[in-house]
Amino acid sequence: MTADELKTGALPGHVAIIMDGNGRWAKQRGMPRTAGHKEGLTAAKKIVAAAASLGIAYITLYTFSTENWKRAQEEVGYLMSLIKRHLRAEFEFYKKNGIRIAHIGDLGGLPADVQAEIIRAKEDTAHFTGTTCVLAINYGARDELTRAVKSLTEKKLAITEASITDALDIAPDVDLLIRTGGEQRLSNFLLWQAAYAEFIFTDTLWPEYNEEEFFGHIEAFQKRSRRFGAVPDQ
């Protein structure tokens, strides 16, 4: 199905993606894990551009979790360098597609140079009015919720569903959550926002995930009946 055909149906306002399988993709080819991450970046650009072509308001990419610091130092260092280089080099890509960059996660826990590039990318793209690409970097849902509740407590604000939502790094509910790589778990990703998300799991490794499969998943979303706990026709 084409983008124009998909636009005639109800589109998810917020798509979240767990981009899993970079390391396995590289291992299958006898390559270092870093090669998988580099190829995964190419896939990410294609999918963000595809989301922008549909007019999807938000696409959130699980880029680096709070748990990923446990990986080998070489791999973590490469990922930080890749994030930094990508943010600096891709302004024309953001501009062409009208993409606004946002960030969720513990910014202060990142290296200073990576923090600076995230802030710079957000500022440089703040005036773009197309799809917002949210990069979850040093992100964990439990950490996000803990920080939100701590903030409310320090400000002596009431703890309510609405106040917690407002205190989170990102507020919009997830409509569609996609995970590549064959695993079927959330891995501490957007636990609050995904409360009523539709889930799609695919065996495709992230570097091989493409626009055709993404559009197919949007089409599958359009065919689902979303009841939010209610009974149909009541």
Side-chain angles (χ1 to χ4, degrees), residues 36 41 47 63 230:
L41 174 59
I47 300 308
T63 307

Side-chain angles (χ1 to χ4, degrees), residues 21-196:
N22 289 342
R24 281 173 286 159
W25 180 89
K27 184 177 180 180
Q28 288 175 2
R29 290 157 179 77
M31 303 165 71
R33 290 177 60 85
T34 52
H37 294 310
K38 184 176 180 181
E39 193 67 23
L41 174 59
T42 300
K45 286 180 62 177
K46 292 177 181 178
I47 300 308
V48 170
S53 74
L54 291 174
I56 290 172
Y58 288 87
I59 181 166
T60 299
L61 305 178
Y62 206 4
T63 307
F64 188 90
S65 77
T66 50
E67 290 75 34
N68 287 157
W69 296 107
K70 300 173 185 176
R71 296 185 177 185
Q73 185 175 355
E74 180 184 359
E75 182 177 358
V76 170
Y78 180 82
L79 284 167
M80 289 296 110
S81 176
L82 188 65
I83 290 168
K84 184 176 67 173
R85 294 199 311 271
H86 167 72
L87 288 169
R88 179 175 290 274
E90 298 299 341
F91 177 77
E92 289 303 319
F93 170 75
Y94 306 144
K95 182 179 179 181
K96 176 182 176 181
N97 293 282
I99 293 166
R100 184 166 67 97
I101 295 297
H103 169 260
I104 58 174
D106 181 7
L107 184 66
L110 289 166
D113 55 350
V114 177
Q115 291 183 46
E117 289 301 333
I118 291 172
I119 293 168
R120 178 175 176 268
K122 288 172 62 179
E123 291 175 346
D124 288 350
T125 63
H127 60 289
F128 296 154
T129 58
T131 296
T132 297
C133 177
V134 184
L135 302 176
I137 304 173
N138 196 25
Y139 175 85
R142 289 181 174 180
D143 175 69
E144 178 189 31
L145 285 163
T146 300
R147 288 186 285 105
V149 173
K150 183 179 179 181
S151 173
L152 292 173
T153 302
E154 290 175 346
K155 295 175 183 176
K156 297 182 179 180
L157 297 174
I159 307 287
T160 66
E161 184 174 328
S163 67
I164 291 174
T165 298
D166 289 342
L168 295 173
D169 294 346
I170 183 172
D173 282 348
V174 175
D175 297 300
L176 173 61
L177 192 147
I178 300 167
R179 180 169 187 151
T180 63
E183 304 291 353
Q184 298 187 19
R185 54 178 176 265
L186 279 175
S187 297
N188 199 20
F189 184 48
L190 298 175
L191 301 180
W192 183 277
Q193 298 89 338
Y196 281 100

Side-chain angles (χ1 to χ4, degrees), residues 207-222:
E208 297 175 337
Y209 190 74
N210 56 32
E211 300 95 328
E212 182 180 0
E213 187 168 2
F214 178 66
F215 286 160
H217 289 159
I218 299 298
E219 182 182 10
F221 168 85
Q222 293 177 333

